[in-house]
Amino acid sequence: MATLDLVFPPLTGANYPYLSTAVLKAYVQQESRHEVGQLDLNLRYIRHLLTPRAVRERVTTAETTARALERRRLSGGEAFHLQHCLDVAGRGPVVADLLPAALRAVRSAASVNDAAEMAVADTVIAEALSAATVDRPPDQLNLVDPVFAASAADPQGLREALTRDDCPFMAAYDRLVAPGELLGDVVGISVVYRGQVPPALALARWLRLRRPRARILLGGPFFTSHRDRLRHHPWLFDLIDAFVVYEGERPLVSYLDHLDTGEPLDGIPGLIFRRDGDVRQTGMPRPVAARDLPTPDFDGLPLHDYLMPAPVLPLLASRGCYWNCAFCTHHHIYGDSYRVRPVELIGRDLATLAERHGCRHVYFVDESMSPKLLRHISRAIKESGTDLRWGCETRMERSLTREDFRLAHESGCRVLSFGMESANQRVLDLMNKGITVATIERIIGDCAEVGIRVHVMCIIGFPGETEEEAQETIDFTAAHRSSIDLLDFSVFCLNRNSPIERSPETFGVTAIRDLVPGHDFEERLAYEVKAGLDRSRAYDVWERAVASEHFAAIRSRCGHAQRERFLFGDDVPAAVGAGELREAVALGPPRALPVWHDVAELREHSRAFAARRGRALSVDGVAFSESWLLLGSGRRLRPRASPGYLVFRPSSWRDVELSGPLVSLASSLAADRSPAGVAKQLDALLRPAARPPAEGTVRERAADERAAAERAAGEGGRPVC
Ligand code: SF4
């Protein structure tokens, strides 16, 4: 029997395993005797970047590169690269020191309830990932929307990137994939997000070279969305034996069977492959009935290595969506079918996952759970007595009552995500949302009342929306800030195959065209509107929304955008045992990081960098770490005449070198002599440096910061960057 290895490639978030490989593994095992393994290469890749050693190596690279760039006249792109190098060289040592504590924090139930702690942890992790690409501009790694030199949308760019000898992913896979792994007859790569496309194609190339006997399949929503354009890029079929499009269960089993039986591929729906130089596409596979799907099989995945305090497992209670919002493309994968799994089987899934993995935290990743299903699942979980914490996305339907939310909460539901989109009724109607502003208002209040955390997503710039209407949405979220726990604003995108693209005149949309000519894998389209906000003005309003005071207030109350963290909200009383990072960085989360907008600013910064390089950065990493960590290590502080103490101050995202006498003074002022107490006193002593940046230009703000730092130096604190 043919064997199969399923791989989830980099790069996307690592809060929990993605469902695709677990669902496919379970189905293939249920329907056949093929052996199936699975590997979360995304998690493995992220974890290998998130080590202090990896960051420190990048600091050295950043210093060398910055020195070379400083000697040259810089292009715009090089100026940004220099800025990146300076950031990594300047902050990297601190980030490397903080990284172990940051990883402990995001994996501690106590800490994830502490928004300030999470703000520091998320920033440190983001900076550590960003450091990874300091030698390969313009790549920027992050867990939401990574940037690669070769855009996922640009087939030609992807092809060129793959032929480069210095492809970073090839080297990474050599390091991360053991000789005994991915030896199946077939390797199936599951691509869900755009950020996975360049690494996934690099993985296909790696497999071609290192596992030449393997058949390589590529599947998932991304390539399903672009299935009609794959034929224009036949070079892809040098790497990929077949693309699996739409839902992958049936095509995958049939493909494995075909290796044993010789059945022709033309008879297997859901495949795109090349034969005799022709790219062929078979039809849409018949979807599997929801009741015939097995419980996902997460065996083989390191469930305790994800960036959560305990395993959070994703589950689907339904496939597709019963609604049809004007901007949505969910039907592109599932067709028009909406399939709901019987509640008794969902209960069985939950029991099985609890038994196999001790899983107490589940996120239903349905497109949108219907009110009826939400009610039934809540009742079933409550009646089963299962101790579970769960969340899902649902619509703000009028039929959902406070009693429904109370029942959901009693069954363990702790967070609900809502695509609210707008707080203006005319715009909601244009979107075909089928909800009212009055219902939105009531539901937000009901959830807050019963103790369910509310995640609200809004869209700015839907075709026809005026600036005043968009402002109504911003004002609405401000008025309900105390009941909203997570708030996202996004700018409207016109996607291929959305209802708007199919009948643009209905929405006042004209001049639809490719966003970038030649970018065949770009799902977004360029367009114009007959009335309302155009895209550029929509961005202006969006910037206003995310810069608003209430947006920041919600973030600082509830932490960064990680809805799964709310599942741990009542496991441990907030902040008990948390705060290691906050203590280490001496109070509070970082504010804005310094940004240098032009080459002159960069040069000024680089002179400061060069001036201190001989001092702060040439300090041996360990010594730097020890002196800096004094505040967080729990060891008793001792005044030292020289070189003083290096303290990272999140209020200005600066390292400050403190004189021994100042630390001694702070130490004596702190009644309990604890690191937190001393840090608090230091913060008070250095208060002038921590005031908010003044209004004005970047240059004025930079000058203002320098003046504040000099004042602090006069009072005993000497800024070193
Ligand atoms: S409710 Fe969500 S998934 Fe359903 S159509 Fe609307 S946006 Fe799409």
Side-chain angles (χ1 to χ4, degrees):
M1 299 294 281
T3 55
L4 169 68
D5 279 311
L6 293 162
V7 193
F8 191 64
L11 181 66
T12 184
N15 282 352
Y16 51 71
Y18 202 79
L19 196 53
S20 57
T21 60
V23 162
L24 293 170
K25 180 176 192 289
Y27 185 80
V28 173
Q29 289 169 163
Q30 173 182 275
E31 297 297 317
S32 72
R33 292 173 53 216
H34 301 290
E35 276 181 34
V36 190
Q38 62 185 330
L39 171 64
D40 190 339
L41 198 49
N42 175 54
L43 176 68
R44 204 177 275 186
Y45 182 73
I46 290 167
R47 295 304 300 249
H48 110 279
L49 294 178
L50 293 181
T51 65
R53 186 176 163 189
V55 177
R56 288 197 183 98
E57 282 171 7
R58 295 296 151 183
V59 169
T60 308
T61 307
E63 286 188 59
T64 312
T65 312
R67 269 196 287 269
L69 286 169
E70 280 168 354
R71 288 190 215 105
R72 301 221 314 260
R73 179 178 290 276
L74 301 180
S75 67
E78 286 172 328
F80 277 107
H81 186 201
L82 174 57
Q83 180 186 323
H84 189 196
C85 291
L86 294 171
D87 288 345
V88 173
R91 297 198 293 263
V94 177
V95 168
D97 285 343
L98 282 175
L99 194 51
L103 291 171
R104 274 197 299 279
V106 297
R107 304 180 73 238
S108 144
S111 294
V112 293
N113 292 314
D114 181 334
E117 183 84 345
M118 285 303 95
V120 180
D122 288 337
T123 304
V124 168
I125 289 172
E127 294 255 337
L129 287 172
S130 170
T133 54
V134 76
D135 57 344
R136 44 181 235 250
D139 290 9
Q140 282 285 343
L141 299 191
N142 62 63
L143 300 182
V144 182
D145 189 15
V147 175
F148 298 106
S151 161
D154 175 15
Q156 196 51 38
L158 288 168
R159 185 181 188 181
E160 285 163 17
L162 283 170
T163 57
R164 282 174 48 174
D165 290 335
D166 60 347
C167 169
F169 290 105
M170 297 293 282
Y173 298 150
D174 274 339
R175 209 163 134 184
L176 296 175
V177 181
E181 290 183 309
L182 301 186
L183 295 175
D185 300 311
V186 177
V187 178
I189 307 171
S190 171
V191 176
V192 178
Y193 302 107
R194 188 184 164 102
Q196 292 178 286
V197 173
L201 291 175
L203 177 61
R205 181 174 168 229
W206 184 90
L207 288 164
R208 274 280 180 263
L209 295 171
R210 307 286 192 266
R211 305 285 187 270
R213 291 162 56 90
R215 308 287 179 104
I216 301 168
L217 304 183
L218 201 55
F222 183 89
F223 287 105
T224 298
S225 295
H226 301 291
R227 60 187 178 274
D228 294 336
R229 286 177 290 280
L230 295 175
R231 65 175 62 249
H232 304 313
H233 306 284
W235 63 270
L236 283 167
F237 296 88
D238 296 338
L239 295 174
I240 310 296
D241 289 286
F243 286 88
V244 178
V245 291
Y246 303 105
E247 294 173 68
E249 285 91 349
R250 287 188 200 277
L252 202 48
V253 172
S254 301
Y255 188 90
L256 291 164
D257 288 346
H258 123 96
L259 291 181
D260 294 333
T261 63
E263 176 199 355
L265 291 181
D266 308 74
I268 303 176
L271 295 183
I272 303 176
F273 56 95
R274 185 171 60 185
R275 158 118 32 90
D276 303 329
D278 284 342
V279 175
R280 302 176 184 211
Q281 180 172 352
T282 59
M284 185 176 181
R286 194 162 47 86
V288 182
R291 66 165 56 251
D292 295 336
L293 289 164
T295 302
D297 183 348
F298 295 95
D299 283 352
L301 297 176
L303 297 183
H304 289 274
D305 282 357
Y306 290 86
L307 304 183
M308 278 282 136
V312 175
L313 295 184
L315 200 57
L316 275 175
S318 60
R319 289 197 181 190
C321 180
Y322 61 98
W323 206 259
N324 199 15
C325 300
F327 50 83
C328 184
T329 56
H330 76 268
H331 59 276
H332 211 50
I333 310 296
Y334 298 112
D336 289 328
S337 71
Y338 172 59
R339 285 162 285 147
V340 179
R341 189 160 170 81
V343 170
E344 61 274 16
L345 293 184
I346 298 170
R348 194 189 68 188
D349 293 339
L350 293 170
T352 305
L353 295 178
E355 188 186 315
R356 277 190 203 151
H357 309 295
C359 167
R360 286 188 53 235
H361 301 85
V362 165
Y363 215 96
F364 289 98
V365 291
D366 302 42
E367 301 289 332
S368 187
M369 194 180 277
S370 72
K372 186 174 162 192
L373 188 54
L374 184 77
R375 250 174 244 129
H376 286 177
I377 287 181
S378 302
R379 193 167 301 122
I381 296 174
K382 187 180 171 198
E383 286 172 1
S384 74
T386 313
D387 182 18
L388 194 71
R389 296 292 173 270
W390 61 279
C392 71
E393 186 164 332
T394 185
R395 283 170 40 80
M396 289 172 149
E397 301 259 13
R398 192 156 60 99
S399 64
L400 281 168
T401 65
R402 182 177 299 187
E403 279 318 300
D404 290 328
F405 294 122
R406 199 181 303 285
L407 176 65
H409 183 267
E410 286 167 2
S411 73
C413 177
R414 290 295 178 268
V415 54
L416 289 173
S417 292
F418 297 102
M420 177 186 113
E421 326 304 4
S422 171
N424 176 276
Q425 194 59 52
R426 190 186 77 88
V427 176
L428 286 171
D429 294 343
L430 282 176
M431 292 174 169
N432 190 33
K433 283 301 292 182
I435 58 177
T436 66
V437 178
T439 304
I440 291 173
E441 197 158 17
R442 176 184 58 78
I443 283 181
I444 289 176
D446 284 349
C447 287
E449 171 79 21
V450 304
I452 292 178
R453 313 298 288 267
V454 174
H455 173 203
V456 161
M457 296 170 278
C458 304
I459 294 175
I460 305 271
F462 187 82
E465 183 181 49
T466 65
E467 184 161 351
E468 293 71 31
E469 288 167 333
Q471 187 61 44
E472 272 180 50
T473 303
I474 299 171
D475 293 344
F476 178 92
T477 56
H480 294 82
R481 70 177 76 187
S482 59
S483 303
I484 295 174
D485 300 287
L486 187 53
L487 177 59
D488 285 327
F489 288 104
S490 58
V491 175
F492 169 77
C493 290
L494 172 55
N495 287 332
R496 290 183 199 277
N497 298 303
S498 61
I500 303 181
E501 192 211 359
R502 290 203 296 266
S503 55
E505 62 291 345
T506 313
F507 299 92
V509 170
T510 61
I512 294 179
R513 59 204 181 276
D514 285 346
L515 196 63
V516 183
H519 281 203
D520 268 11
F521 299 159
E522 178 58 76
E523 57 268 273
R524 296 163 300 174
L525 292 161
Y527 65 95
E528 278 155 35
V529 287
K530 287 184 182 157
L533 292 166
D534 61 21
R535 210 167 150 73
S536 133
R537 280 167 57 219
Y539 265 111
D540 292 343
V541 178
W542 174 82
E543 279 185 1
R544 209 160 66 216
V546 297
S548 62
E549 183 259 327
H550 75 282
F551 188 81
I554 292 172
R555 285 274 162 118
S556 77
R557 174 166 56 84
C558 300
H560 281 202
Q562 309 267 343
R563 61 188 184 183
E564 298 83 15
R565 285 182 183 156
F566 292 135
L567 299 182
F568 298 89
D570 50 9
D571 278 19
V572 180
V576 171
E580 180 186 11
L581 270 170
R582 278 189 293 117
E583 285 188 9
V585 298
L587 302 175
R591 293 183 194 155
L593 307 182
V595 174
W596 309 90
H597 285 294
D598 58 36
V599 176
E601 292 286 346
L602 284 170
R603 287 206 180 287
E604 194 174 333
H605 187 46
S606 70
R607 270 197 294 278
F609 166 74
R612 73 191 165 87
R613 189 162 45 218
R615 197 153 39 93
L617 293 182
S618 68
V619 173
D620 168 65
V622 176
F624 182 94
S625 163
E626 281 181 356
S627 59
W628 174 75
L629 274 181
L630 272 174
L631 288 181
S633 66
R635 278 183 285 161
R636 197 161 174 277
L637 289 165
R638 283 181 292 107
R640 291 194 302 179
S642 177
Y645 299 87
L646 283 169
V647 179
F648 175 67
R649 302 202 69 224
S651 55
S652 56
W653 196 255
R654 280 165 183 271
D655 311 321
V656 178
E657 189 175 347
L658 303 172
S659 67
L662 180 77
V663 175
S664 180
L665 175 63
S667 181
S668 61
L669 287 172
D672 59 359
R673 300 287 175 97
S674 69
V678 176
K680 195 170 172 188
Q681 292 302 332
L682 281 171
D683 196 64
L685 291 168
L686 295 171
R687 186 70 71 195
R691 70 199 179 100
E695 292 298 318
T697 63
V698 170
R699 199 177 293 274
E700 285 165 350
R701 283 205 300 276
D704 198 62
E705 278 187 26
R706 277 194 295 279
E710 279 157 17
R711 276 199 300 281
E715 293 170 40
R718 186 153 53 94
V720 294
C721 68

